[in-house]
Every structure is written in C-alpha cells, then in structure tokens.
Amino acid sequence: MFAAALRTKVVSRTFTSRAVDGFTGAVGNTPLIHLKKWSEKTGCNIVGKAEFQNPGGSVKDRAALGVVRDAEERGLLRPGGTVVEGTAGNTGIGLAHVCRAKGYRCVIFMPNTQSQEKIDLLRMLGAEVFPVPAVAYENPANYNHQARDFAAKLANAVWTDQFDNTANAKAHYLSTGPEIWEQTNGELDAFICATGTGGTLAGTGKYLKEKSKGKTQVWLADPPGSVLHSYIESGGKLKDRSGGSITEGIGQGRITHNLGTFVKELDGSLTIPDEKSVAMVYDLLDTEGIYIGASSALNVVAAVELAKLLGPGKTIATILCDGAYRYQSRLFSKAWLKAKGLEDAIPEHLKKYAVLN
C-alpha cells in the first residue's frame, strides 16, 4: 500500500508558485524517480534522485553553489573576484554556471583524461580551462595543487577546494538530505551512492542518519581502482590505489575531509565492476527511458545489490548524478567500448543503442 502511494508521490514534481532567483535559485528540488523494473525484481522500492535536472545538469550544482556562498559569507570572495577549482568535470561546470550568474571569473584545472564534451562545455560557459596530466594526489603537479597555487597568486580569489572544503558536504546536508527525506515521507531504509569528493554521501547521509535517529542505513558504492571499499571493509586501512575505472568523478585514493566527517558512520560498502555499470546505462535507457552516465548507473547497480542484501519491502534511494550527454562519444561508441573490453558487457538486445562508431 505504502509503495504504491510513494510511487505516485515521487514521480509528481512540484514547482514554486513564482519565478526563482536566476540560475542559483533553480538549484535543487529535483524529483525522486521510482525505478520500476528493478523495484519489481527486488521486491523493494528503489528510487533515484534526478540530479541531472539541476540547471547545470548534475548533482555538482549543489556543491558549486554551496562552496561559493560559503566563500562569500566568510569574506573570502568579493564582487569581481576569481573562483579557481581542480575538478574532473561536473563541479567545474556547476562553478562556471554559478560564476556567470554571479559575475566572477572562473578558472578550472582538470585531468586531461576527462571527456572532451566536458572540456568544451566549460569553455563555452566562459571558464578558463587548463587540462593537465593526471597524476596522483601526492604529486605536486596534481590538478588540485595546481589550482590551489594559481589562486594563491591572485588578489580577491578563492580556491574552492571541493575535496576538503566541508561547505561541499554542508550543501547536501541542507538540501539533498531534507529533500529525499520529505520525498520518501520519512520512510527510507537505506541510501547508497558512490563518492569522489565525499560531499554528497557525507552531507546527505549525515542528515538522513540524524533525521531517522539512525534507522536509515547509509552505504558507499565504489568503482574499480578506488580504495574506499577496502578501507571500510578492513576497518580503516588505506591501501595503495591500483587499477582504474571508466566512470568519471568517483572513486578515491584517500579519505577527503568531506568524507571524513561521516566515514565512521557508514553501515557498509559495495564495489561495482565497470561491466555492470555500463550494462545498467543501457538497461535504464531501454526500460525507463532515462539517459544517464556511468556513475549514475553504478549507483543504481549498487542500490539493486543493496536491495538484495536487505531483503524485500525496503525503500532504497540513490543519486542519478548526471545525464549521458557528456559521455556519449564514449559510452555509446562501438569502438570505445571494444577498446575498453566492455562490448560484451552490453546484452545483445541492447547493443542497438551503441550507434556511434
């Protein structure tokens, strides 16, 4: 009975009764989408927070707005100032939008391994983009350190430091968590998502834990090449990072300050192979009509796996981080999928969607 009522509630979107205040006023209040096929298969109510419906197209709009507002409130950023960040893509896109809306200069350092769609979009939005070689965080040439050093040389400039600036997690504590709680009528058994900076998982998770008085479980989902799953499974031992994943913007080799605010409260973690994430990209397009990226698909796979662990009758929420538009030259390219050894991960009846050569 509850599941049917909830399905009706989460797919209907409410809007404010008047115009919002520009781009920044449109961030948040995204719908929660009931994922019918996988809910039926697991006997659970699996829902995804449609963060691709933020005005900048991703969950990172929340963090971008949060860190800029924090810098303004602390007097670190004044009119005409410069915002600098090291980002794998979506935070930079969110910051570029926010900076255009607020009149700031935006400078982005990013690994040169990111999709061309993201780089092009950043430049279209007026950001200055510096793609640099992808090296470990410990290396002084890491894109985050280059962003920090660039900002330090300028007056009226701020390095927003998305990984370790806990204003990131605070933005989700103040918005994403409350929205999910309200949209599920406070009947939420678990929340799970992957993490890069740790902001979404920590901020949302902290709110849900507090509001439910500990009843809502919060789990971390991890891609290959990340050390977070092993860290949680081992009780806090960090190992050297090895391997990699085709997902972008998630996975980590350390405990960021954002994640550090919540990591001890996590109930568990799951590791999700790329093959399952890619297959889910195609499955959700075919069965739900939802066009999402690989990190979003990983989150859905993780929610399904968690549903199987917790058993029928549970409500489990996750994050649909962004759409596939920023990755389509890869995820829907036959040649790219074959080069990555992922061509056979897609069921035969879904290969019709791989229309790019």
PDB file of all heavy atoms in Angstrom, residues 35 48-52 57-59 90 192-194 221 247-248 250 276-277 280-281 284 290-303 318-324 327 331:
ATOM      1  N   LEU A  35      12.194   3.546  -9.863  1.00  0.00           N
ATOM      2  CA  LEU A  35      12.749   2.707 -10.921  1.00  0.00           C
ATOM      3  C   LEU A  35      11.974   1.391 -10.942  1.00  0.00           C
ATOM      4  O   LEU A  35      12.227   0.475 -10.150  1.00  0.00           O
ATOM      5  CB  LEU A  35      14.244   2.493 -10.697  1.00  0.00           C
ATOM      6  CG  LEU A  35      15.058   3.799 -10.667  1.00  0.00           C
ATOM      7  CD1 LEU A  35      16.518   3.523 -10.359  1.00  0.00           C
ATOM      8  CD2 LEU A  35      14.918   4.567 -11.981  1.00  0.00           C
ATOM      9  N   GLY A  48      15.635   6.962  -7.467  1.00  0.00           N
ATOM     10  CA  GLY A  48      16.837   7.718  -7.811  1.00  0.00           C
ATOM     11  C   GLY A  48      16.561   9.211  -7.813  1.00  0.00           C
ATOM     12  O   GLY A  48      15.573   9.667  -8.413  1.00  0.00           O
ATOM     13  N   LYS A  49      17.397   9.969  -7.141  1.00  0.00           N
ATOM     14  CA  LYS A  49      17.272  11.430  -7.093  1.00  0.00           C
ATOM     15  C   LYS A  49      17.784  11.994  -8.411  1.00  0.00           C
ATOM     16  O   LYS A  49      18.968  11.879  -8.749  1.00  0.00           O
ATOM     17  CB  LYS A  49      18.098  11.955  -5.918  1.00  0.00           C
ATOM     18  CG  LYS A  49      17.919  13.435  -5.626  1.00  0.00           C
ATOM     19  CD  LYS A  49      16.607  13.721  -4.937  1.00  0.00           C
ATOM     20  CE  LYS A  49      16.640  15.117  -4.298  1.00  0.00           C
ATOM     21  NZ  LYS A  49      15.368  15.827  -4.532  1.00  0.00           N
ATOM     22  N   ALA A  50      16.897  12.605  -9.181  1.00  0.00           N
ATOM     23  CA  ALA A  50      17.192  13.018 -10.555  1.00  0.00           C
ATOM     24  C   ALA A  50      18.016  14.304 -10.596  1.00  0.00           C
ATOM     25  O   ALA A  50      17.541  15.368 -11.010  1.00  0.00           O
ATOM     26  CB  ALA A  50      15.904  13.180 -11.343  1.00  0.00           C
ATOM     27  N   GLU A  51      19.267  14.200 -10.200  1.00  0.00           N
ATOM     28  CA  GLU A  51      20.141  15.369 -10.138  1.00  0.00           C
ATOM     29  C   GLU A  51      20.521  15.912 -11.512  1.00  0.00           C
ATOM     30  O   GLU A  51      20.998  17.043 -11.624  1.00  0.00           O
ATOM     31  CB  GLU A  51      21.388  15.042  -9.322  1.00  0.00           C
ATOM     32  CG  GLU A  51      21.106  14.825  -7.852  1.00  0.00           C
ATOM     33  CD  GLU A  51      20.527  16.075  -7.199  1.00  0.00           C
ATOM     34  OE1 GLU A  51      21.295  17.002  -6.906  1.00  0.00           O
ATOM     35  OE2 GLU A  51      19.290  16.121  -6.994  1.00  0.00           O
ATOM     36  N   PHE A  52      20.290  15.137 -12.561  1.00  0.00           N
ATOM     37  CA  PHE A  52      20.516  15.649 -13.912  1.00  0.00           C
ATOM     38  C   PHE A  52      19.521  16.745 -14.254  1.00  0.00           C
ATOM     39  O   PHE A  52      19.683  17.444 -15.260  1.00  0.00           O
ATOM     40  CB  PHE A  52      20.457  14.517 -14.947  1.00  0.00           C
ATOM     41  CG  PHE A  52      19.201  13.697 -14.907  1.00  0.00           C
ATOM     42  CD1 PHE A  52      18.045  14.131 -15.536  1.00  0.00           C
ATOM     43  CD2 PHE A  52      19.176  12.474 -14.244  1.00  0.00           C
ATOM     44  CE1 PHE A  52      16.884  13.372 -15.502  1.00  0.00           C
ATOM     45  CE2 PHE A  52      18.022  11.700 -14.205  1.00  0.00           C
ATOM     46  CZ  PHE A  52      16.867  12.152 -14.835  1.00  0.00           C
ATOM     47  N   GLY A  57      22.860  20.615 -14.903  1.00  0.00           N
ATOM     48  CA  GLY A  57      22.855  19.249 -15.394  1.00  0.00           C
ATOM     49  C   GLY A  57      23.433  18.183 -14.492  1.00  0.00           C
ATOM     50  O   GLY A  57      23.542  17.036 -14.918  1.00  0.00           O
ATOM     51  N   SER A  58      23.823  18.524 -13.267  1.00  0.00           N
ATOM     52  CA  SER A  58      24.390  17.480 -12.409  1.00  0.00           C
ATOM     53  C   SER A  58      24.234  17.794 -10.930  1.00  0.00           C
ATOM     54  O   SER A  58      23.925  18.919 -10.533  1.00  0.00           O
ATOM     55  CB  SER A  58      25.875  17.266 -12.720  1.00  0.00           C
ATOM     56  OG  SER A  58      26.689  18.134 -11.972  1.00  0.00           O
ATOM     57  N   VAL A  59      24.509  16.781 -10.116  1.00  0.00           N
ATOM     58  CA  VAL A  59      24.478  16.915  -8.663  1.00  0.00           C
ATOM     59  C   VAL A  59      25.487  17.949  -8.171  1.00  0.00           C
ATOM     60  O   VAL A  59      25.314  18.547  -7.100  1.00  0.00           O
ATOM     61  CB  VAL A  59      24.740  15.537  -8.001  1.00  0.00           C
ATOM     62  CG1 VAL A  59      26.156  15.051  -8.297  1.00  0.00           C
ATOM     63  CG2 VAL A  59      24.481  15.567  -6.505  1.00  0.00           C
ATOM     64  N   ASN A  90      32.209  17.895 -13.573  1.00  0.00           N
ATOM     65  CA  ASN A  90      30.891  18.438 -13.258  1.00  0.00           C
ATOM     66  C   ASN A  90      30.908  19.558 -12.228  1.00  0.00           C
ATOM     67  O   ASN A  90      30.106  20.482 -12.310  1.00  0.00           O
ATOM     68  CB  ASN A  90      29.958  17.316 -12.796  1.00  0.00           C
ATOM     69  CG  ASN A  90      29.356  16.552 -13.954  1.00  0.00           C
ATOM     70  OD1 ASN A  90      29.213  17.082 -15.043  1.00  0.00           O
ATOM     71  ND2 ASN A  90      28.999  15.300 -13.730  1.00  0.00           N
ATOM     72  N   ILE A 192      22.409   4.916  -0.708  1.00  0.00           N
ATOM     73  CA  ILE A 192      23.719   4.472  -1.171  1.00  0.00           C
ATOM     74  C   ILE A 192      24.133   5.272  -2.393  1.00  0.00           C
ATOM     75  O   ILE A 192      23.309   5.584  -3.257  1.00  0.00           O
ATOM     76  CB  ILE A 192      23.710   2.961  -1.506  1.00  0.00           C
ATOM     77  CG1 ILE A 192      25.128   2.471  -1.844  1.00  0.00           C
ATOM     78  CG2 ILE A 192      22.722   2.622  -2.615  1.00  0.00           C
ATOM     79  CD1 ILE A 192      25.257   0.948  -1.896  1.00  0.00           C
ATOM     80  N   CYS A 193      25.402   5.649  -2.460  1.00  0.00           N
ATOM     81  CA  CYS A 193      25.933   6.278  -3.668  1.00  0.00           C
ATOM     82  C   CYS A 193      27.452   6.207  -3.656  1.00  0.00           C
ATOM     83  O   CYS A 193      28.074   5.957  -2.620  1.00  0.00           O
ATOM     84  CB  CYS A 193      25.461   7.727  -3.815  1.00  0.00           C
ATOM     85  SG  CYS A 193      26.211   8.906  -2.667  1.00  0.00           S
ATOM     86  N   ALA A 194      28.026   6.427  -4.817  1.00  0.00           N
ATOM     87  CA  ALA A 194      29.477   6.498  -4.942  1.00  0.00           C
ATOM     88  C   ALA A 194      29.950   7.869  -4.492  1.00  0.00           C
ATOM     89  O   ALA A 194      29.150   8.790  -4.314  1.00  0.00           O
ATOM     90  CB  ALA A 194      29.890   6.228  -6.382  1.00  0.00           C
ATOM     91  N   ALA A 221      29.155   3.164  -2.404  1.00  0.00           N
ATOM     92  CA  ALA A 221      29.382   2.340  -3.594  1.00  0.00           C
ATOM     93  C   ALA A 221      30.697   2.772  -4.223  1.00  0.00           C
ATOM     94  O   ALA A 221      30.985   3.967  -4.308  1.00  0.00           O
ATOM     95  CB  ALA A 221      28.234   2.515  -4.582  1.00  0.00           C
ATOM     96  N   THR A 247      34.334   5.028 -15.156  1.00  0.00           N
ATOM     97  CA  THR A 247      33.486   6.060 -14.558  1.00  0.00           C
ATOM     98  C   THR A 247      34.320   7.310 -14.290  1.00  0.00           C
ATOM     99  O   THR A 247      35.516   7.226 -14.055  1.00  0.00           O
ATOM    100  CB  THR A 247      32.866   5.574 -13.241  1.00  0.00           C
ATOM    101  OG1 THR A 247      33.902   5.170 -12.353  1.00  0.00           O
ATOM    102  CG2 THR A 247      31.929   4.402 -13.487  1.00  0.00           C
ATOM    103  N   GLU A 248      33.682   8.458 -14.338  1.00  0.00           N
ATOM    104  CA  GLU A 248      34.383   9.726 -14.132  1.00  0.00           C
ATOM    105  C   GLU A 248      33.868  10.425 -12.880  1.00  0.00           C
ATOM    106  O   GLU A 248      32.673  10.428 -12.597  1.00  0.00           O
ATOM    107  CB  GLU A 248      34.204  10.648 -15.345  1.00  0.00           C
ATOM    108  CG  GLU A 248      34.808  10.096 -16.631  1.00  0.00           C
ATOM    109  CD  GLU A 248      34.686  11.069 -17.797  1.00  0.00           C
ATOM    110  OE1 GLU A 248      34.524  12.286 -17.549  1.00  0.00           O
ATOM    111  OE2 GLU A 248      34.756  10.623 -18.951  1.00  0.00           O
ATOM    112  N   ILE A 250      34.253   9.770  -9.722  1.00  0.00           N
ATOM    113  CA  ILE A 250      34.040   9.000  -8.496  1.00  0.00           C
ATOM    114  C   ILE A 250      35.226   8.076  -8.249  1.00  0.00           C
ATOM    115  O   ILE A 250      36.047   7.852  -9.135  1.00  0.00           O
ATOM    116  CB  ILE A 250      32.732   8.175  -8.537  1.00  0.00           C
ATOM    117  CG1 ILE A 250      32.735   7.218  -9.744  1.00  0.00           C
ATOM    118  CG2 ILE A 250      31.529   9.080  -8.551  1.00  0.00           C
ATOM    119  CD1 ILE A 250      31.560   6.254  -9.740  1.00  0.00           C
ATOM    120  N   LYS A 276      29.048  -4.066 -15.013  1.00  0.00           N
ATOM    121  CA  LYS A 276      27.674  -3.902 -14.529  1.00  0.00           C
ATOM    122  C   LYS A 276      27.188  -2.467 -14.690  1.00  0.00           C
ATOM    123  O   LYS A 276      26.014  -2.223 -14.981  1.00  0.00           O
ATOM    124  CB  LYS A 276      27.581  -4.333 -13.065  1.00  0.00           C
ATOM    125  CG  LYS A 276      27.675  -5.838 -12.861  1.00  0.00           C
ATOM    126  CD  LYS A 276      27.365  -6.214 -11.419  1.00  0.00           C
ATOM    127  CE  LYS A 276      27.349  -7.719 -11.229  1.00  0.00           C
ATOM    128  NZ  LYS A 276      27.002  -8.090  -9.833  1.00  0.00           N
ATOM    129  N   SER A 277      28.091  -1.508 -14.510  1.00  0.00           N
ATOM    130  CA  SER A 277      27.699  -0.097 -14.656  1.00  0.00           C
ATOM    131  C   SER A 277      27.317   0.214 -16.095  1.00  0.00           C
ATOM    132  O   SER A 277      26.300   0.868 -16.359  1.00  0.00           O
ATOM    133  CB  SER A 277      28.845   0.822 -14.197  1.00  0.00           C
ATOM    134  OG  SER A 277      29.136   0.623 -12.838  1.00  0.00           O
ATOM    135  N   MET A 280      24.043  -1.274 -17.047  1.00  0.00           N
ATOM    136  CA  MET A 280      22.922  -0.550 -16.458  1.00  0.00           C
ATOM    137  C   MET A 280      22.632   0.753 -17.205  1.00  0.00           C
ATOM    138  O   MET A 280      21.462   1.180 -17.277  1.00  0.00           O
ATOM    139  CB  MET A 280      23.181  -0.265 -14.979  1.00  0.00           C
ATOM    140  CG  MET A 280      22.002   0.357 -14.223  1.00  0.00           C
ATOM    141  SD  MET A 280      20.504  -0.689 -14.203  1.00  0.00           S
ATOM    142  CE  MET A 280      20.910  -1.825 -12.858  1.00  0.00           C
ATOM    143  N   VAL A 281      23.651   1.396 -17.762  1.00  0.00           N
ATOM    144  CA  VAL A 281      23.419   2.591 -18.594  1.00  0.00           C
ATOM    145  C   VAL A 281      22.425   2.253 -19.699  1.00  0.00           C
ATOM    146  O   VAL A 281      21.443   2.976 -19.935  1.00  0.00           O
ATOM    147  CB  VAL A 281      24.744   3.091 -19.219  1.00  0.00           C
ATOM    148  CG1 VAL A 281      24.466   4.115 -20.318  1.00  0.00           C
ATOM    149  CG2 VAL A 281      25.647   3.704 -18.166  1.00  0.00           C
ATOM    150  N   LEU A 284      18.733   1.070 -18.277  1.00  0.00           N
ATOM    151  CA  LEU A 284      17.851   2.148 -17.840  1.00  0.00           C
ATOM    152  C   LEU A 284      17.322   2.962 -19.019  1.00  0.00           C
ATOM    153  O   LEU A 284      16.191   3.453 -18.993  1.00  0.00           O
ATOM    154  CB  LEU A 284      18.575   3.054 -16.848  1.00  0.00           C
ATOM    155  CG  LEU A 284      18.834   2.425 -15.485  1.00  0.00           C
ATOM    156  CD1 LEU A 284      19.738   3.325 -14.647  1.00  0.00           C
ATOM    157  CD2 LEU A 284      17.535   2.151 -14.748  1.00  0.00           C
ATOM    158  N   ILE A 290      15.541   6.586 -19.258  1.00  0.00           N
ATOM    159  CA  ILE A 290      16.428   7.513 -18.549  1.00  0.00           C
ATOM    160  C   ILE A 290      17.826   7.412 -19.144  1.00  0.00           C
ATOM    161  O   ILE A 290      18.419   6.327 -19.209  1.00  0.00           O
ATOM    162  CB  ILE A 290      16.463   7.202 -17.044  1.00  0.00           C
ATOM    163  CG1 ILE A 290      15.071   7.340 -16.441  1.00  0.00           C
ATOM    164  CG2 ILE A 290      17.424   8.143 -16.324  1.00  0.00           C
ATOM    165  CD1 ILE A 290      14.992   6.905 -14.988  1.00  0.00           C
ATOM    166  N   TYR A 291      18.374   8.538 -19.562  1.00  0.00           N
ATOM    167  CA  TYR A 291      19.664   8.609 -20.258  1.00  0.00           C
ATOM    168  C   TYR A 291      20.706   9.150 -19.282  1.00  0.00           C
ATOM    169  O   TYR A 291      20.835  10.362 -19.114  1.00  0.00           O
ATOM    170  CB  TYR A 291      19.497   9.526 -21.467  1.00  0.00           C
ATOM    171  CG  TYR A 291      20.636   9.570 -22.448  1.00  0.00           C
ATOM    172  CD1 TYR A 291      21.041   8.431 -23.133  1.00  0.00           C
ATOM    173  CD2 TYR A 291      21.284  10.779 -22.731  1.00  0.00           C
ATOM    174  CE1 TYR A 291      22.064   8.483 -24.065  1.00  0.00           C
ATOM    175  CE2 TYR A 291      22.305  10.849 -23.660  1.00  0.00           C
ATOM    176  CZ  TYR A 291      22.694   9.697 -24.330  1.00  0.00           C
ATOM    177  OH  TYR A 291      23.705   9.751 -25.260  1.00  0.00           O
ATOM    178  N   ILE A 292      21.415   8.258 -18.590  1.00  0.00           N
ATOM    179  CA  ILE A 292      22.327   8.682 -17.529  1.00  0.00           C
ATOM    180  C   ILE A 292      23.752   8.212 -17.789  1.00  0.00           C
ATOM    181  O   ILE A 292      24.000   7.300 -18.578  1.00  0.00           O
ATOM    182  CB  ILE A 292      21.868   8.165 -16.151  1.00  0.00           C
ATOM    183  CG1 ILE A 292      21.748   6.639 -16.165  1.00  0.00           C
ATOM    184  CG2 ILE A 292      20.564   8.819 -15.737  1.00  0.00           C
ATOM    185  CD1 ILE A 292      21.505   6.022 -14.807  1.00  0.00           C
ATOM    186  N   GLY A 293      24.692   8.849 -17.075  1.00  0.00           N
ATOM    187  CA  GLY A 293      26.093   8.497 -17.189  1.00  0.00           C
ATOM    188  C   GLY A 293      26.454   7.258 -16.382  1.00  0.00           C
ATOM    189  O   GLY A 293      25.631   6.697 -15.653  1.00  0.00           O
ATOM    190  N   ALA A 294      27.728   6.851 -16.492  1.00  0.00           N
ATOM    191  CA  ALA A 294      28.171   5.603 -15.873  1.00  0.00           C
ATOM    192  C   ALA A 294      28.175   5.663 -14.348  1.00  0.00           C
ATOM    193  O   ALA A 294      27.894   4.663 -13.680  1.00  0.00           O
ATOM    194  CB  ALA A 294      29.560   5.230 -16.384  1.00  0.00           C
ATOM    195  N   SER A 295      28.494   6.827 -13.765  1.00  0.00           N
ATOM    196  CA  SER A 295      28.493   6.911 -12.306  1.00  0.00           C
ATOM    197  C   SER A 295      27.078   6.783 -11.759  1.00  0.00           C
ATOM    198  O   SER A 295      26.847   6.154 -10.716  1.00  0.00           O
ATOM    199  CB  SER A 295      29.144   8.218 -11.833  1.00  0.00           C
ATOM    200  OG  SER A 295      28.465   9.341 -12.350  1.00  0.00           O
ATOM    201  N   SER A 296      26.111   7.362 -12.457  1.00  0.00           N
ATOM    202  CA  SER A 296      24.706   7.217 -12.065  1.00  0.00           C
ATOM    203  C   SER A 296      24.279   5.758 -12.164  1.00  0.00           C
ATOM    204  O   SER A 296      23.588   5.231 -11.285  1.00  0.00           O
ATOM    205  CB  SER A 296      23.804   8.062 -12.966  1.00  0.00           C
ATOM    206  OG  SER A 296      24.162   9.423 -12.918  1.00  0.00           O
ATOM    207  N   ALA A 297      24.690   5.105 -13.252  1.00  0.00           N
ATOM    208  CA  ALA A 297      24.346   3.699 -13.444  1.00  0.00           C
ATOM    209  C   ALA A 297      24.979   2.836 -12.362  1.00  0.00           C
ATOM    210  O   ALA A 297      24.355   1.897 -11.859  1.00  0.00           O
ATOM    211  CB  ALA A 297      24.797   3.238 -14.826  1.00  0.00           C
ATOM    212  N   LEU A 298      26.210   3.141 -11.989  1.00  0.00           N
ATOM    213  CA  LEU A 298      26.861   2.424 -10.887  1.00  0.00           C
ATOM    214  C   LEU A 298      26.035   2.550  -9.616  1.00  0.00           C
ATOM    215  O   LEU A 298      25.854   1.575  -8.868  1.00  0.00           O
ATOM    216  CB  LEU A 298      28.272   2.964 -10.671  1.00  0.00           C
ATOM    217  CG  LEU A 298      29.117   2.300  -9.570  1.00  0.00           C
ATOM    218  CD1 LEU A 298      30.595   2.338  -9.925  1.00  0.00           C
ATOM    219  CD2 LEU A 298      28.907   2.958  -8.200  1.00  0.00           C
ATOM    220  N   ASN A 299      25.528   3.735  -9.350  1.00  0.00           N
ATOM    221  CA  ASN A 299      24.701   3.949  -8.159  1.00  0.00           C
ATOM    222  C   ASN A 299      23.446   3.086  -8.179  1.00  0.00           C
ATOM    223  O   ASN A 299      23.030   2.551  -7.143  1.00  0.00           O
ATOM    224  CB  ASN A 299      24.312   5.419  -8.037  1.00  0.00           C
ATOM    225  CG  ASN A 299      25.446   6.289  -7.535  1.00  0.00           C
ATOM    226  OD1 ASN A 299      26.441   5.795  -7.014  1.00  0.00           O
ATOM    227  ND2 ASN A 299      25.304   7.590  -7.709  1.00  0.00           N
ATOM    228  N   VAL A 300      22.838   2.948  -9.347  1.00  0.00           N
ATOM    229  CA  VAL A 300      21.636   2.121  -9.450  1.00  0.00           C
ATOM    230  C   VAL A 300      21.984   0.647  -9.245  1.00  0.00           C
ATOM    231  O   VAL A 300      21.265  -0.077  -8.537  1.00  0.00           O
ATOM    232  CB  VAL A 300      20.926   2.335 -10.799  1.00  0.00           C
ATOM    233  CG1 VAL A 300      19.735   1.377 -10.938  1.00  0.00           C
ATOM    234  CG2 VAL A 300      20.450   3.777 -10.938  1.00  0.00           C
ATOM    235  N   VAL A 301      23.082   0.198  -9.847  1.00  0.00           N
ATOM    236  CA  VAL A 301      23.524  -1.188  -9.624  1.00  0.00           C
ATOM    237  C   VAL A 301      23.725  -1.424  -8.129  1.00  0.00           C
ATOM    238  O   VAL A 301      23.295  -2.441  -7.576  1.00  0.00           O
ATOM    239  CB  VAL A 301      24.840  -1.482 -10.381  1.00  0.00           C
ATOM    240  CG1 VAL A 301      25.363  -2.878 -10.010  1.00  0.00           C
ATOM    241  CG2 VAL A 301      24.634  -1.387 -11.880  1.00  0.00           C
ATOM    242  N   ALA A 302      24.365  -0.469  -7.466  1.00  0.00           N
ATOM    243  CA  ALA A 302      24.621  -0.595  -6.034  1.00  0.00           C
ATOM    244  C   ALA A 302      23.318  -0.638  -5.236  1.00  0.00           C
ATOM    245  O   ALA A 302      23.195  -1.408  -4.278  1.00  0.00           O
ATOM    246  CB  ALA A 302      25.487   0.572  -5.560  1.00  0.00           C
ATOM    247  N   ALA A 303      22.340   0.182  -5.627  1.00  0.00           N
ATOM    248  CA  ALA A 303      21.045   0.171  -4.942  1.00  0.00           C
ATOM    249  C   ALA A 303      20.355  -1.176  -5.114  1.00  0.00           C
ATOM    250  O   ALA A 303      19.730  -1.690  -4.177  1.00  0.00           O
ATOM    251  CB  ALA A 303      20.164   1.298  -5.477  1.00  0.00           C
ATOM    252  N   THR A 318      19.080   6.415  -4.154  1.00  0.00           N
ATOM    253  CA  THR A 318      20.420   6.683  -4.648  1.00  0.00           C
ATOM    254  C   THR A 318      20.411   7.967  -5.462  1.00  0.00           C
ATOM    255  O   THR A 318      19.391   8.649  -5.567  1.00  0.00           O
ATOM    256  CB  THR A 318      20.961   5.495  -5.474  1.00  0.00           C
ATOM    257  OG1 THR A 318      22.376   5.675  -5.693  1.00  0.00           O
ATOM    258  CG2 THR A 318      20.254   5.359  -6.813  1.00  0.00           C
ATOM    259  N   ILE A 319      21.566   8.298  -6.036  1.00  0.00           N
ATOM    260  CA  ILE A 319      21.735   9.551  -6.777  1.00  0.00           C
ATOM    261  C   ILE A 319      21.928   9.280  -8.259  1.00  0.00           C
ATOM    262  O   ILE A 319      22.801   8.497  -8.649  1.00  0.00           O
ATOM    263  CB  ILE A 319      22.960  10.334  -6.246  1.00  0.00           C
ATOM    264  CG1 ILE A 319      22.802  10.687  -4.766  1.00  0.00           C
ATOM    265  CG2 ILE A 319      23.192  11.600  -7.084  1.00  0.00           C
ATOM    266  CD1 ILE A 319      21.725  11.695  -4.457  1.00  0.00           C
ATOM    267  N   LEU A 320      21.118   9.912  -9.090  1.00  0.00           N
ATOM    268  CA  LEU A 320      21.325   9.901 -10.543  1.00  0.00           C
ATOM    269  C   LEU A 320      22.089  11.182 -10.861  1.00  0.00           C
ATOM    270  O   LEU A 320      21.504  12.241 -11.044  1.00  0.00           O
ATOM    271  CB  LEU A 320      19.974   9.837 -11.262  1.00  0.00           C
ATOM    272  CG  LEU A 320      19.061   8.669 -10.848  1.00  0.00           C
ATOM    273  CD1 LEU A 320      17.752   8.706 -11.640  1.00  0.00           C
ATOM    274  CD2 LEU A 320      19.759   7.337 -11.028  1.00  0.00           C
ATOM    275  N   CYS A 321      23.409  11.057 -10.858  1.00  0.00           N
ATOM    276  CA  CYS A 321      24.310  12.225 -10.824  1.00  0.00           C
ATOM    277  C   CYS A 321      24.173  13.163 -12.010  1.00  0.00           C
ATOM    278  O   CYS A 321      24.116  14.378 -11.849  1.00  0.00           O
ATOM    279  CB  CYS A 321      25.761  11.760 -10.749  1.00  0.00           C
ATOM    280  SG  CYS A 321      26.062  10.414  -9.608  1.00  0.00           S
ATOM    281  N   ASP A 322      24.156  12.594 -13.208  1.00  0.00           N
ATOM    282  CA  ASP A 322      24.070  13.429 -14.410  1.00  0.00           C
ATOM    283  C   ASP A 322      23.618  12.573 -15.583  1.00  0.00           C
ATOM    284  O   ASP A 322      23.476  11.357 -15.476  1.00  0.00           O
ATOM    285  CB  ASP A 322      25.401  14.130 -14.712  1.00  0.00           C
ATOM    286  CG  ASP A 322      26.554  13.169 -14.989  1.00  0.00           C
ATOM    287  OD1 ASP A 322      26.316  11.937 -15.043  1.00  0.00           O
ATOM    288  OD2 ASP A 322      27.693  13.635 -15.151  1.00  0.00           O
ATOM    289  N   GLY A 323      23.366  13.248 -16.710  1.00  0.00           N
ATOM    290  CA  GLY A 323      22.942  12.552 -17.911  1.00  0.00           C
ATOM    291  C   GLY A 323      24.130  12.012 -18.692  1.00  0.00           C
ATOM    292  O   GLY A 323      25.285  12.288 -18.368  1.00  0.00           O
ATOM    293  N   ALA A 324      23.830  11.228 -19.711  1.00  0.00           N
ATOM    294  CA  ALA A 324      24.894  10.625 -20.523  1.00  0.00           C
ATOM    295  C   ALA A 324      25.408  11.557 -21.617  1.00  0.00           C
ATOM    296  O   ALA A 324      26.364  11.223 -22.312  1.00  0.00           O
ATOM    297  CB  ALA A 324      24.384   9.331 -21.156  1.00  0.00           C
ATOM    298  N   TYR A 327      29.067  12.135 -21.980  1.00  0.00           N
ATOM    299  CA  TYR A 327      29.909  10.951 -22.167  1.00  0.00           C
ATOM    300  C   TYR A 327      29.513  10.141 -23.394  1.00  0.00           C
ATOM    301  O   TYR A 327      30.009   9.045 -23.607  1.00  0.00           O
ATOM    302  CB  TYR A 327      29.806  10.031 -20.935  1.00  0.00           C
ATOM    303  CG  TYR A 327      29.770  10.760 -19.624  1.00  0.00           C
ATOM    304  CD1 TYR A 327      28.550  11.044 -18.999  1.00  0.00           C
ATOM    305  CD2 TYR A 327      30.939  11.187 -18.999  1.00  0.00           C
ATOM    306  CE1 TYR A 327      28.507  11.726 -17.790  1.00  0.00           C
ATOM    307  CE2 TYR A 327      30.897  11.873 -17.791  1.00  0.00           C
ATOM    308  CZ  TYR A 327      29.678  12.140 -17.199  1.00  0.00           C
ATOM    309  OH  TYR A 327      29.640  12.817 -16.012  1.00  0.00           O
ATOM    310  N   LEU A 331      30.480   6.228 -24.131  1.00  0.00           N
ATOM    311  CA  LEU A 331      29.566   5.174 -23.695  1.00  0.00           C
ATOM    312  C   LEU A 331      28.742   4.568 -24.826  1.00  0.00           C
ATOM    313  O   LEU A 331      28.323   3.410 -24.734  1.00  0.00           O
ATOM    314  CB  LEU A 331      28.611   5.724 -22.634  1.00  0.00           C
ATOM    315  CG  LEU A 331      29.212   6.024 -21.258  1.00  0.00           C
ATOM    316  CD1 LEU A 331      28.167   6.646 -20.347  1.00  0.00           C
ATOM    317  CD2 LEU A 331      29.786   4.763 -20.626  1.00  0.00           C
TER     318      LEU A 331
END
